[in-house]
Coordinates of all heavy atoms in Angstrom, one line a residue:
P1 N 23.6 8.4 -33.9 CA 23.0 9.4 -34.7 C 22.9 10.7 -34.0 O 22.8 10.8 -32.8 CB 21.6 8.8 -35.0 CG 21.3 7.8 -34.1 CD 22.6 7.3 -33.5
V2 N 22.9 11.8 -34.8 CA 22.8 13.1 -34.3 C 21.5 13.7 -34.9 O 21.3 13.7 -36.1 CB 24.0 14.0 -34.8 CG1 23.8 15.4 -34.3 CG2 25.3 13.4 -34.2
T3 N 20.7 14.3 -34.0 CA 19.5 15.0 -34.4 C 19.5 16.4 -33.7 O 20.2 16.6 -32.7 CB 18.2 14.2 -34.0 OG1 18.2 14.1 -32.6 CG2 18.2 12.9 -34.7
V4 N 18.6 17.2 -34.2 CA 18.3 18.5 -33.6 C 16.8 18.6 -33.4 O 16.1 18.3 -34.3 CB 18.8 19.7 -34.4 CG1 18.4 21.0 -33.8 CG2 20.4 19.6 -34.6
T5 N 16.4 19.1 -32.2 CA 15.0 19.2 -31.9 C 14.7 20.7 -31.5 O 15.5 21.3 -30.8 CB 14.6 18.3 -30.7 OG1 14.9 17.0 -31.0 CG2 13.2 18.4 -30.4
N6 N 13.6 21.2 -32.0 CA 13.1 22.5 -31.6 C 11.6 22.4 -31.3 O 11.1 21.3 -31.3 CB 13.5 23.6 -32.6 CG 12.8 23.4 -33.9 OD1 11.8 22.7 -34.0 ND2 13.4 24.1 -34.9
G7 N 10.9 23.5 -31.2 CA 9.5 23.5 -30.9 C 8.6 22.8 -32.0 O 7.5 22.5 -31.7
T8 N 9.1 22.7 -33.2 CA 8.3 22.1 -34.3 C 8.6 20.7 -34.6 O 8.0 20.1 -35.5 CB 8.5 23.0 -35.6 OG1 9.8 22.9 -36.0 CG2 8.0 24.4 -35.3
G9 N 9.6 20.1 -33.9 CA 9.9 18.7 -34.2 C 11.4 18.4 -34.1 O 12.2 19.2 -33.7
T10 N 11.7 17.2 -34.6 CA 13.1 16.7 -34.6 C 13.5 16.4 -36.0 O 12.8 15.8 -36.8 CB 13.2 15.4 -33.7 OG1 12.7 15.7 -32.4 CG2 14.6 14.9 -33.7
S11 N 14.8 16.8 -36.3 CA 15.3 16.5 -37.6 C 15.5 15.0 -37.9 O 15.5 14.2 -37.0 CB 16.7 17.2 -37.8 OG 17.6 16.6 -36.9
A12 N 15.8 14.7 -39.2 CA 16.2 13.4 -39.5 C 17.6 13.2 -39.0 O 18.4 14.1 -38.9 CB 16.1 13.2 -41.0
P13 N 18.0 12.0 -38.6 CA 19.3 11.8 -38.0 C 20.4 11.7 -39.1 O 20.2 11.3 -40.2 CB 19.2 10.4 -37.3 CG 18.1 9.7 -38.1 CD 17.2 10.8 -38.5
L14 N 21.6 12.1 -38.7 CA 22.8 12.0 -39.5 C 23.8 11.2 -38.6 O 23.7 11.2 -37.4 CB 23.4 13.3 -39.8 CG 22.6 14.2 -40.8 CD1 23.3 15.5 -41.0 CD2 22.5 13.4 -42.1
T15 N 24.7 10.5 -39.3 CA 25.7 9.7 -38.5 C 26.9 10.5 -38.2 O 27.5 11.2 -39.0 CB 26.1 8.5 -39.4 OG1 24.9 7.7 -39.7 CG2 27.1 7.6 -38.7
F16 N 27.4 10.3 -36.9 CA 28.6 10.8 -36.5 C 29.5 9.7 -35.9 O 29.0 8.9 -35.2 CB 28.4 11.9 -35.3 CG 29.7 12.5 -34.8 CD1 30.3 13.5 -35.4 CD2 30.3 11.9 -33.7 CE1 31.5 14.1 -35.0 CE2 31.5 12.4 -33.2 CZ 32.1 13.5 -33.9
T17 N 30.7 9.6 -36.3 CA 31.6 8.5 -35.9 C 32.8 9.1 -35.1 O 33.5 10.0 -35.6 CB 32.1 7.7 -37.1 OG1 31.0 7.3 -37.9 CG2 33.0 6.6 -36.7
Y18 N 33.0 8.6 -33.9 CA 34.2 9.0 -33.2 C 35.4 8.2 -33.7 O 35.3 7.1 -34.0 CB 34.0 8.6 -31.7 CG 33.1 9.5 -30.9 CD1 31.7 9.1 -30.7 CD2 33.5 10.7 -30.4 CE1 30.9 9.9 -30.0 CE2 32.6 11.5 -29.7 CZ 31.3 11.1 -29.6 OH 30.4 11.9 -28.9
Q19 N 36.5 9.0 -33.8 CA 37.8 8.4 -34.3 C 38.7 8.3 -33.1 O 38.9 9.3 -32.4 CB 38.4 9.2 -35.4 CG 37.6 9.2 -36.6 CD 38.2 10.0 -37.7 OE1 39.0 10.9 -37.5 NE2 37.8 9.8 -38.9
A20 N 39.3 7.1 -32.8 CA 40.3 7.0 -31.7 C 41.5 7.9 -32.0 O 41.9 8.0 -33.2 CB 40.6 5.5 -31.6
A21 N 42.0 8.4 -30.9 CA 43.3 9.1 -31.1 C 44.4 8.2 -31.5 O 44.4 7.0 -31.1 CB 43.7 9.8 -29.7
P22 N 45.3 8.7 -32.4 CA 46.4 7.8 -32.8 C 47.3 7.3 -31.6 O 47.5 8.1 -30.7 CB 47.2 8.6 -33.8 CG 46.8 10.0 -33.5 CD 45.4 10.0 -32.9
V23 N 47.7 6.1 -31.6 CA 48.6 5.6 -30.6 C 50.0 5.8 -31.1 O 50.4 5.3 -32.1 CB 48.3 4.1 -30.3 CG1 49.2 3.5 -29.3 CG2 46.8 3.9 -29.9
V24 N 50.8 6.5 -30.3 CA 52.1 6.8 -30.7 C 53.1 6.4 -29.6 O 52.8 6.7 -28.4 CB 52.3 8.3 -31.0 CG1 53.7 8.7 -31.3 CG2 51.3 8.8 -32.1
A25 N 54.2 5.8 -29.9 CA 55.1 5.3 -28.9 C 55.8 6.6 -28.3 O 56.0 7.6 -29.0 CB 56.2 4.4 -29.6
P26 N 56.2 6.5 -27.1 CA 56.9 7.6 -26.5 C 58.2 7.9 -27.2 O 58.8 7.0 -27.8 CB 57.2 7.1 -25.0 CG 56.4 5.9 -24.8 CD 56.1 5.3 -26.2
T27 N 58.7 9.2 -27.1 CA 60.0 9.6 -27.6 C 60.8 10.1 -26.5 O 60.2 10.8 -25.6 CB 59.8 10.6 -28.7 OG1 59.2 11.8 -28.2 CG2 59.0 10.1 -29.9
L28 N 62.1 9.9 -26.5 CA 63.0 10.4 -25.5 C 63.9 11.5 -26.1 O 64.4 11.3 -27.2 CB 63.9 9.3 -24.9 CG 63.2 8.1 -24.4 CD1 64.2 7.1 -23.8 CD2 62.1 8.4 -23.4
T29 N 64.0 12.6 -25.4 CA 64.9 13.7 -26.0 C 66.1 14.0 -25.1 O 67.1 14.4 -25.5 CB 64.1 15.0 -26.2 OG1 63.5 15.4 -25.0 CG2 63.1 14.8 -27.3
S30 N 66.0 13.7 -23.7 CA 67.1 13.9 -22.9 C 67.0 13.2 -21.5 O 65.9 12.9 -21.1 CB 67.4 15.4 -22.6 OG 66.3 15.9 -21.8
L31 N 68.1 12.9 -20.9 CA 68.2 12.4 -19.5 C 69.0 13.3 -18.7 O 70.0 13.8 -19.1 CB 68.9 11.0 -19.5 CG 68.4 9.9 -20.3 CD1 69.4 8.7 -20.3 CD2 67.0 9.4 -19.8
T32 N 68.5 13.6 -17.5 CA 69.2 14.5 -16.6 C 69.1 13.9 -15.2 O 68.1 13.8 -14.6 CB 68.5 15.9 -16.5 OG1 68.5 16.4 -17.8 CG2 69.4 16.8 -15.7
P33 N 70.3 13.5 -14.6 CA 71.6 13.4 -15.2 C 71.7 12.2 -16.1 O 70.9 11.3 -16.1 CB 72.5 13.2 -14.0 CG 71.7 12.5 -13.0 CD 70.3 13.0 -13.2
A34 N 72.7 12.2 -16.9 CA 72.9 11.1 -17.9 C 73.8 10.0 -17.4 O 74.1 9.1 -18.1 CB 73.5 11.7 -19.2
E35 N 74.3 10.2 -16.1 CA 75.1 9.1 -15.5 C 74.9 9.2 -14.0 O 74.5 10.2 -13.4 CB 76.6 9.3 -15.9 CG 77.2 10.6 -15.5 CD 78.6 10.8 -16.0 OE1 78.9 10.5 -17.2 OE2 79.4 11.2 -15.2
G36 N 75.3 8.0 -13.3 CA 75.2 8.0 -11.9 C 75.9 6.7 -11.4 O 76.4 5.9 -12.2
P37 N 76.0 6.6 -10.1 CA 76.7 5.5 -9.5 C 76.1 4.1 -9.8 O 74.9 4.0 -10.0 CB 76.7 5.8 -8.0 CG 75.5 6.6 -7.8 CD 75.3 7.4 -9.1
A38 N 76.9 3.1 -9.9 CA 76.5 1.7 -10.2 C 75.5 1.2 -9.1 O 74.7 0.3 -9.3 CB 77.6 0.8 -10.4
G39 N 75.7 1.8 -7.9 CA 74.8 1.3 -6.8 C 73.4 1.7 -6.9 O 72.5 1.3 -6.1
G40 N 73.0 2.5 -7.9 CA 71.7 3.0 -8.1 C 71.2 4.1 -7.2 O 72.1 4.7 -6.5
G41 N 69.9 4.3 -7.2 CA 69.4 5.4 -6.3 C 69.4 6.8 -6.8 O 69.1 7.7 -6.1
T42 N 69.8 6.9 -8.1 CA 69.9 8.3 -8.6 C 68.5 8.6 -9.3 O 68.0 7.9 -10.1 CB 70.9 8.3 -9.7 OG1 72.2 8.0 -9.2 CG2 71.0 9.7 -10.3
P43 N 67.9 9.8 -8.8 CA 66.7 10.2 -9.5 C 67.1 10.8 -10.9 O 68.0 11.6 -11.0 CB 66.2 11.3 -8.7 CG 67.0 11.3 -7.4 CD 68.2 10.6 -7.7
V44 N 66.4 10.3 -11.9 CA 66.7 10.7 -13.3 C 65.4 11.3 -13.9 O 64.3 10.7 -13.8 CB 67.2 9.6 -14.2 CG1 67.4 10.0 -15.6 CG2 68.5 9.0 -13.6
T45 N 65.5 12.5 -14.5 CA 64.4 13.0 -15.3 C 64.6 12.8 -16.8 O 65.6 13.0 -17.3 CB 64.3 14.6 -15.1 OG1 64.2 14.8 -13.7 CG2 63.2 15.2 -15.8
I46 N 63.6 12.2 -17.4 CA 63.5 12.0 -18.8 C 62.6 13.0 -19.4 O 61.5 13.1 -19.0 CB 63.0 10.6 -19.2 CG1 63.9 9.5 -18.5 CG2 63.0 10.4 -20.7 CD1 63.3 8.1 -18.8
A47 N 63.1 13.7 -20.4 CA 62.3 14.6 -21.2 C 61.9 14.0 -22.5 O 62.7 13.2 -23.1 CB 63.0 15.9 -21.4
G48 N 60.7 14.2 -23.0 CA 60.3 13.6 -24.3 C 58.8 13.9 -24.5 O 58.3 14.9 -24.0
T49 N 58.2 12.9 -25.1 CA 56.7 13.0 -25.3 C 56.1 11.7 -25.2 O 56.7 10.6 -25.3 CB 56.4 13.6 -26.8 OG1 56.9 12.6 -27.7 CG2 57.0 14.9 -27.0
G50 N 54.8 11.7 -24.9 CA 54.0 10.5 -24.9 C 54.1 9.7 -23.6 O 53.7 8.5 -23.6
F51 N 54.5 10.3 -22.5 CA 54.6 9.6 -21.3 C 53.2 9.6 -20.6 O 52.5 10.6 -20.6 CB 55.6 10.2 -20.3 CG 57.0 10.4 -20.9 CD1 57.8 11.4 -20.6 CD2 57.5 9.4 -21.8 CE1 59.0 11.6 -21.1 CE2 58.8 9.5 -22.3 CZ 59.5 10.6 -22.0
T52 N 52.8 8.4 -20.1 CA 51.4 8.3 -19.5 C 51.6 7.7 -18.1 O 52.7 7.2 -17.7 CB 50.5 7.5 -20.4 OG1 51.1 6.2 -20.5 CG2 50.3 8.1 -21.7
G53 N 50.5 7.7 -17.4 CA 50.5 7.1 -16.0 C 50.9 5.6 -16.0 O 51.3 5.1 -15.0
D54 N 50.8 4.9 -17.1 CA 51.2 3.5 -17.1 C 52.5 3.3 -17.8 O 52.9 2.1 -18.0 CB 50.1 2.6 -17.8 CG 49.9 3.0 -19.3 OD1 50.5 4.0 -19.8 OD2 49.2 2.2 -20.0
S55 N 53.3 4.3 -17.9 CA 54.6 4.2 -18.5 C 55.6 3.5 -17.5 O 55.4 3.7 -16.3 CB 55.2 5.6 -18.8 OG 54.5 6.2 -19.8
T56 N 56.5 2.7 -18.0 CA 57.5 2.1 -17.2 C 58.9 2.4 -17.9 O 58.9 2.7 -19.1 CB 57.3 0.6 -17.0 OG1 57.3 -0.1 -18.2 CG2 56.1 0.3 -16.2
V57 N 60.0 2.2 -17.2 CA 61.3 2.5 -17.7 C 62.1 1.2 -17.6 O 62.0 0.4 -16.7 CB 62.0 3.6 -16.8 CG1 63.4 3.9 -17.3 CG2 61.1 4.9 -16.8
T58 N 63.0 1.1 -18.6 CA 64.0 0.0 -18.6 C 65.4 0.6 -18.6 O 65.7 1.5 -19.4 CB 63.8 -0.9 -19.9 OG1 62.5 -1.5 -19.9 CG2 64.9 -1.9 -20.0
V59 N 66.2 0.1 -17.7 CA 67.6 0.5 -17.6 C 68.4 -0.7 -17.8 O 68.4 -1.6 -16.9 CB 67.9 1.2 -16.3 CG1 69.4 1.6 -16.3 CG2 67.1 2.5 -16.2
G60 N 69.2 -0.9 -18.9 CA 69.9 -2.1 -19.1 C 69.0 -3.3 -19.2 O 68.0 -3.3 -20.0
T61 N 69.2 -4.3 -18.3 CA 68.3 -5.4 -18.3 C 67.2 -5.4 -17.2 O 66.4 -6.3 -17.1 CB 69.1 -6.7 -18.1 OG1 69.8 -6.6 -16.8 CG2 70.2 -6.9 -19.2
T62 N 67.1 -4.2 -16.5 CA 66.1 -4.1 -15.5 C 64.9 -3.4 -16.1 O 64.9 -2.3 -16.6 CB 66.6 -3.2 -14.3 OG1 67.8 -3.8 -13.8 CG2 65.5 -3.1 -13.2
T63 N 63.8 -4.2 -16.2 CA 62.6 -3.7 -16.8 C 61.5 -3.4 -15.8 O 61.6 -3.7 -14.6 CB 62.0 -4.7 -17.8 OG1 61.7 -5.9 -17.1 CG2 63.0 -5.0 -18.9
G64 N 60.5 -2.6 -16.2 CA 59.3 -2.4 -15.3 C 59.5 -1.4 -14.2 O 58.8 -1.5 -13.2
I65 N 60.5 -0.5 -14.4 CA 60.7 0.5 -13.3 C 59.5 1.5 -13.4 O 59.3 2.1 -14.4 CB 62.0 1.2 -13.5 CG1 63.2 0.2 -13.5 CG2 62.2 2.3 -12.5 CD1 64.5 0.7 -13.9
V66 N 58.8 1.6 -12.3 CA 57.7 2.5 -12.3 C 58.2 3.9 -11.9 O 58.9 4.1 -10.9 CB 56.6 2.1 -11.2 CG1 55.5 3.1 -11.1 CG2 56.1 0.7 -11.6
P67 N 57.9 4.9 -12.7 CA 58.3 6.3 -12.4 C 57.8 6.8 -11.1 O 56.7 6.5 -10.7 CB 57.7 7.1 -13.6 CG 57.5 6.1 -14.7 CD 57.1 4.9 -14.0
V68 N 58.6 7.7 -10.5 CA 58.2 8.4 -9.3 C 57.1 9.4 -9.6 O 56.1 9.6 -8.9 CB 59.4 9.1 -8.6 CG1 59.0 9.9 -7.4 CG2 60.5 8.1 -8.3
S69 N 57.2 10.0 -10.8 CA 56.2 11.0 -11.2 C 56.2 11.1 -12.8 O 57.2 10.8 -13.4 CB 56.5 12.4 -10.6 OG 57.7 12.9 -11.1
V70 N 55.1 11.5 -13.3 CA 54.9 11.7 -14.7 C 54.2 13.0 -14.9 O 53.1 13.2 -14.2 CB 54.1 10.6 -15.4 CG1 53.9 10.9 -16.9 CG2 54.7 9.2 -15.2
S71 N 54.7 13.9 -15.7 CA 54.0 15.2 -15.8 C 52.6 15.1 -16.5 O 52.4 14.1 -17.2 CB 54.9 16.2 -16.7 OG 55.0 15.7 -18.0
T72 N 51.7 16.0 -16.1 CA 50.4 15.9 -16.7 C 50.3 16.1 -18.2 O 49.4 15.5 -18.8 CB 49.5 16.9 -16.0 OG1 50.0 18.2 -16.2 CG2 49.3 16.6 -14.5
D73 N 51.3 16.8 -18.8 CA 51.3 16.9 -20.2 C 52.1 15.8 -20.9 O 52.2 15.9 -22.2 CB 51.8 18.3 -20.6 CG 53.3 18.6 -20.3 OD1 53.9 17.7 -19.7 OD2 53.8 19.7 -20.6
G74 N 52.6 14.9 -20.2 CA 53.3 13.7 -20.8 C 54.7 14.0 -21.4 O 55.2 13.2 -22.2
T75 N 55.3 15.1 -21.0 CA 56.6 15.5 -21.6 C 57.8 15.2 -20.6 O 58.9 15.5 -21.0 CB 56.6 17.0 -22.0 OG1 56.4 17.8 -20.8 CG2 55.6 17.2 -23.0
S76 N 57.5 14.8 -19.4 CA 58.7 14.4 -18.6 C 58.2 13.4 -17.5 O 57.1 13.3 -17.2 CB 59.3 15.6 -17.8 OG 58.4 16.1 -16.9
L77 N 59.2 12.6 -17.1 CA 59.0 11.7 -16.0 C 60.3 11.5 -15.2 O 61.3 11.8 -15.7 CB 58.5 10.3 -16.5 CG 59.3 9.4 -17.3 CD1 60.4 8.7 -16.6 CD2 58.4 8.3 -18.0
V78 N 60.1 11.1 -13.9 CA 61.2 11.0 -13.0 C 61.2 9.5 -12.5 O 60.1 9.0 -12.1 CB 61.2 11.9 -11.9 CG1 62.3 11.7 -10.9 CG2 61.2 13.4 -12.3
F79 N 62.3 8.9 -12.6 CA 62.5 7.5 -12.0 C 63.8 7.4 -11.2 O 64.6 8.3 -11.3 CB 62.4 6.4 -13.1 CG 63.7 6.4 -13.9 CD1 64.7 5.4 -13.6 CD2 64.0 7.2 -15.0 CE1 65.9 5.3 -14.3 CE2 65.1 7.2 -15.7 CZ 66.1 6.2 -15.4
T80 N 63.9 6.4 -10.4 CA 65.1 6.2 -9.6 C 65.8 5.0 -10.2 O 65.2 3.9 -10.4 CB 64.7 5.9 -8.2 OG1 64.0 7.1 -7.7 CG2 66.0 5.8 -7.3
T81 N 67.1 5.2 -10.5 CA 67.9 4.1 -11.1 C 68.0 2.9 -10.1 O 68.2 3.1 -8.9 CB 69.3 4.6 -11.5 OG1 70.0 5.0 -10.3 CG2 69.3 5.6 -12.5
P82 N 68.0 1.7 -10.7 CA 68.2 0.5 -9.9 C 69.6 0.2 -9.6 O 70.5 0.8 -10.3 CB 67.6 -0.6 -10.8 CG 67.9 -0.1 -12.2 CD 67.7 1.4 -12.1
A83 N 69.9 -0.7 -8.7 CA 71.3 -1.1 -8.4 C 71.8 -2.0 -9.4 O 71.0 -2.7 -10.1 CB 71.3 -1.7 -7.0

């Protein structure tokens, strides 16, 4: 409940409800570079939206690649390609 108090008393309460932020899947807009050697080890920057500290990357059948960095605004991340 929300109330306001001043020198003469406290108001009757009203209800305030917090709404959770919508959960949106990440979107990808570009990869830089878009190719690299099969041996892996290439740093790749992904541009897009919705990247968070718990984001992981999948390349082919390799899942769970943890990014080297994720921008604070969630619009880019860098990962290293697997072998």
